[in-house]
Amino acid sequence: METTTILIIEDNEEVRENLAEILELYGYTVLAEPNGLAGVKTAIQASPDLILCDVMMPELDGYGVLNLLSENERTSGIPFIFLTARTEKDDIRRGMNLGADDYITKPFYKDELLSVIRTRLKKAKLRGTDPSGAATAHLSNPEGGFARLEKAFAETGRPLLIDAGQTIVREGEYPHFIYRVSGGRVHLSRSHEYGRDYIIAELGEGEVFGIPSVLERAPFHYTARGASSGATLQALATDSLLKLLNTDRNITEALMRLMASRVVAHSERLVHQAYDSVRRRTALVLCDLHQKYAGQPIELSREELAQMVGSTKESVIRALSDFKREGLVANQGKKLVIQEVEGLRGLLV
């Protein structure tokens, strides 16, 4: 029968022996060390199934132990529980931020101790952790996470057939599902300040949406509709996603990578949107000047124009270059001539 090995790292001899006695009584194999340095050495050599570690110890405290073990591939996946007499939130938060799986406050009750240990061992088993060998489930494998997520969509996702223009989710609604596009196209749109919609993203086959809203427990900040060709989708319940995140670290890493790439793409869009807003403001100023000058050539330096637009001279010059290329304005010496005022006004809508 396979046994479960627990390593205790505790400098207080009475506490260490009390822990060992309880755990051995309930069938666990126990290893015990009186300080952090010895505990790290034993953890690397023996690869226990779980580690109980005191926080305040001489030579190397519990935070140092956790840091060293987290950096070692052989021990990074072992469930790690802090034993602490400190109940201050900051101390507990620091340990959890460093990667501890849980904590037990001393003095502890036997039932609480056993419950926490069983829970962490169960979660480690669900993650596929193998502390006795290489902790391969804890090595970075976002590709495997994507594959696992796609499998979940295929096995438990609800298939949806969406017609062109049909609404899938509305801006302001709270999510009950996340969605994967299995065919066709989906448009994500937001309402324009003047009541018109504008498309912020077009999603194709294999792309997923709805995850940030689920993780943030926030409403959708966009409306999703089928594009002109319609779309087929797979809808995965939010409860299913959260269970996957709690049992498979690779899925968490995959979603982190996905959201990070979207942040980069969104940043690039913001740059273009910022430039487009300069185009719009420049067009507005030129329309006003055209009216003021009664259709005559406008005599204005680029620096003055930039000050009126409220942007840099370089950005305004780029906007003017576009307008010239589009036949909206032209140069007459140092003056500007508005050739298509209605075209400029069309940029304001």
Side-chain angles (χ1 to χ4, degrees):
M1 181 177 176
E2 188 175 337
T3 60
T4 299
T5 300
I6 297 177
L7 170 61
I8 303 169
I9 308 174
E10 167 64 64
D11 65 324
N12 185 301
E13 184 177 359
E14 183 179 350
V15 174
R16 190 170 65 247
E17 291 179 352
N18 185 28
L19 281 168
E21 184 178 349
I22 293 172
L23 295 177
E24 287 173 346
L25 182 63
Y26 282 85
Y28 295 108
T29 298
V30 176
L31 302 174
E33 294 294 352
N35 62 68
L37 290 176
V40 169
K41 183 177 180 180
T42 298
I44 294 173
Q45 290 177 343
S47 291
D49 296 284
L50 182 141
I51 297 171
L52 295 173
C53 183
D54 188 21
V55 174
M56 303 305 296
M57 295 183 292
E59 297 187 49
L60 183 67
D61 64 13
Y63 303 127
V65 172
L66 179 56
N67 269 326
L68 289 174
L69 296 182
S70 296
E71 293 172 358
N72 189 299
E73 290 185 0
R74 186 173 175 82
T75 55
S76 63
I78 300 175
F80 192 100
I81 300 173
F82 271 128
L83 299 168
T84 176
R86 292 185 162 190
T87 57
E88 290 87 346
K89 292 182 179 179
D90 288 343
D91 296 316
I92 294 171
R93 186 182 300 113
R94 180 185 174 191
M96 301 304 281
N97 287 343
L98 285 172
D101 294 282
D102 216 325
Y103 67 92
I104 297 173
T105 302
K106 295 183 287 186
F108 51 82
Y109 294 98
K110 178 191 69 176
D111 291 344
E112 176 194 9
L113 171 70
L114 294 172
S115 175
V116 171
I117 289 174
R118 287 166 183 159
T119 297
R120 292 302 158 184
L121 287 171
K122 181 180 179 181
K123 288 191 174 183
K125 185 176 181 180
L126 288 172
R127 287 199 304 261
T129 307
D130 182 14
S132 62
T136 54
H138 286 267
L139 299 180
S140 181
N141 184 21
E143 289 77 14
F146 280 120
R148 178 70 183 88
L149 186 60
E150 294 223 344
K151 183 179 179 182
F153 271 113
E155 292 179 348
T156 61
R158 178 189 301 177
L160 301 175
L161 178 61
I162 304 298
D163 294 329
Q166 182 180 342
T167 299
I168 305 162
V169 300
R170 294 185 185 278
E171 187 174 349
E173 291 180 347
Y174 280 85
H176 299 289
F177 299 90
I178 61 169
Y179 301 87
R180 179 183 181 275
V181 182
S182 53
R185 298 281 173 177
V186 169
H187 283 162
L188 307 184
S189 63
R190 298 195 67 176
S191 297
H192 190 274
E193 56 184 319
Y194 298 115
R196 297 180 62 181
D197 288 343
Y198 61 98
I199 295 171
I200 60 173
E202 181 179 85
L203 306 181
E205 185 174 349
E207 294 191 270
V208 178
F209 63 95
I211 292 170
S213 295
V214 172
L215 298 183
E216 295 170 9
R217 295 181 173 85
F220 289 108
H221 66 277
Y222 50 75
T223 295
R225 296 186 179 92
S228 58
S229 59
T232 55
L233 303 175
Q234 295 163 321
L236 184 68
T238 56
D239 287 347
S240 297
L241 173 65
L242 296 175
K243 287 178 182 177
L244 288 171
L245 292 174
N246 285 329
T247 57
D248 193 332
R249 177 173 171 177
N250 291 327
I251 292 179
T252 304
E253 292 179 352
L255 296 185
M256 287 172 62
R257 175 178 290 188
L258 174 64
M259 288 188 287
S261 66
R262 287 185 176 175
V263 167
V264 173
H266 181 62
S267 299
E268 292 176 351
R269 280 200 306 273
L270 286 178
V271 171
H272 291 297
Q273 289 170 354
Y275 175 51
D276 288 343
S277 68
V278 172
R279 279 173 51 93
R280 188 166 179 254
R281 296 202 307 271
T282 304
L284 177 61
V285 170
L286 290 178
C287 287
D288 290 342
L289 291 173
H290 179 75
Q291 183 176 357
K292 180 180 179 181
Y293 279 76
Q296 297 300 308
I298 301 169
E299 187 173 357
L300 196 70
S301 73
R302 301 298 181 264
E303 187 68 38
E304 290 170 327
L305 181 59
Q307 289 174 356
M308 295 179 68
V309 171
S311 184
T312 64
K313 183 173 68 173
E314 292 76 15
S315 294
V316 170
I317 289 173
R318 285 198 295 271
L320 288 176
S321 296
D322 284 349
F323 296 164
K324 291 173 187 176
R325 189 166 52 252
E326 295 161 12
L328 302 177
V329 303
N331 282 340
Q332 190 179 88
K334 293 184 178 181
K335 298 179 181 179
L336 274 176
V337 177
I338 307 299
Q339 294 182 310
E340 292 288 344
V341 67
E342 292 304 319
L344 287 174
R345 287 176 179 153
L347 298 176
L348 307 181
V349 179

